[in-house]
């Protein structure tokens, strides 16, 4: 059973940076077929996909509001997915979750932002951006 653990959240000022980590707990599992995404949620709003990646071929995907500011990367040896967030804005505030599912590259490209596409979720890490 794959379990995901996020870390790296915190409070920063506008324009600051954070790097979130998502570690998969089962190191012997083969994650090269996995699609892993970052979602964020604020109170009263639906969880939204922020960025995703297919671990096997490195293809990455971003929602428009974070393109050019966020970078998703993976260290397959360490079973860790990172989300580097630069030039943070108040609207980036929220609880950030990583999620994983076994998907082909094409399926990942089409579903990385869909909550229903994932069956494994971390507990979340809070990001607060203040002006």
């Amino acid at each position: 059973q794959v379990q995901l653990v996020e870390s790296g959240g915190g409070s920063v000022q506008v324009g600051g940076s954070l790097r979130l980590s998502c570690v998969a707990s089962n190191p012997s599992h083969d994650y090269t077929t996995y699609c892993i995404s970052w979602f964020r949620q604020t109170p009263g709003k639906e969880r939204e996909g922020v960025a995703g990646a297919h671990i096997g071929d490195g293809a990455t995907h971003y929602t428009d509001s974070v393109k050019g500011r966020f970078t998703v990367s993976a260290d397959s040896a360490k079973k860790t997915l990172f989300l580097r967030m630069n030039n943070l804005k108040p609207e980036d505030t929220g609880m950030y979750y990583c999620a994983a599912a076994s998907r082909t590259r094409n399926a990942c490209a089409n579903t990385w932002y869909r909550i229903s596409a994932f069956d494994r979720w971390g507990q979340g890490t809070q990001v607060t951006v203040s002006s």
Side-chain angles (χ1 to χ4, degrees):
Q1 182 71 19
V2 173
Q3 291 185 323
L4 306 173
V5 179
E6 304 97 332
S7 62
S11 297
V12 297
Q13 292 189 325
V14 170
S17 297
L18 286 172
R19 190 179 78 160
L20 307 184
S21 299
C22 173
V23 180
S25 64
N26 188 345
S28 63
H29 195 79
D30 181 8
Y31 294 99
T32 57
T33 61
Y34 270 64
C35 181
I36 302 183
S37 290
W38 287 96
F39 289 77
R40 69 183 173 201
Q41 187 169 25
T42 53
K45 292 187 177 181
E46 189 174 74
R47 200 170 292 189
E48 64 168 340
V50 174
H54 190 272
I55 303 303
D57 70 2
T60 57
H61 314 281
Y62 301 94
T63 192
D64 286 346
S65 64
V66 307
K67 285 180 180 177
R69 301 188 298 121
F70 289 15
T71 303
V72 63
S73 61
D75 183 334
S76 58
K78 295 183 179 179
K79 315 297 183 184
T80 303
L81 189 76
F82 301 102
L83 183 66
R84 177 69 181 182
M85 306 185 294
N86 294 328
N87 191 21
L88 283 161
K89 303 176 180 180
E91 52 265 41
D92 295 319
T93 293
M95 185 70 79
Y96 282 69
Y97 301 87
C98 66
S102 180
R103 292 283 186 276
T104 65
R105 178 182 185 273
N106 287 340
C108 184
N110 292 324
T111 63
W112 69 268
Y113 56 92
R114 295 182 184 172
I115 300 171
S116 60
F118 295 90
D119 53 3
R120 297 168 178 85
W121 292 82
Q123 83 290 347
T125 185
Q126 177 69 36
V127 172
T128 303
V129 185
S130 57
S131 56

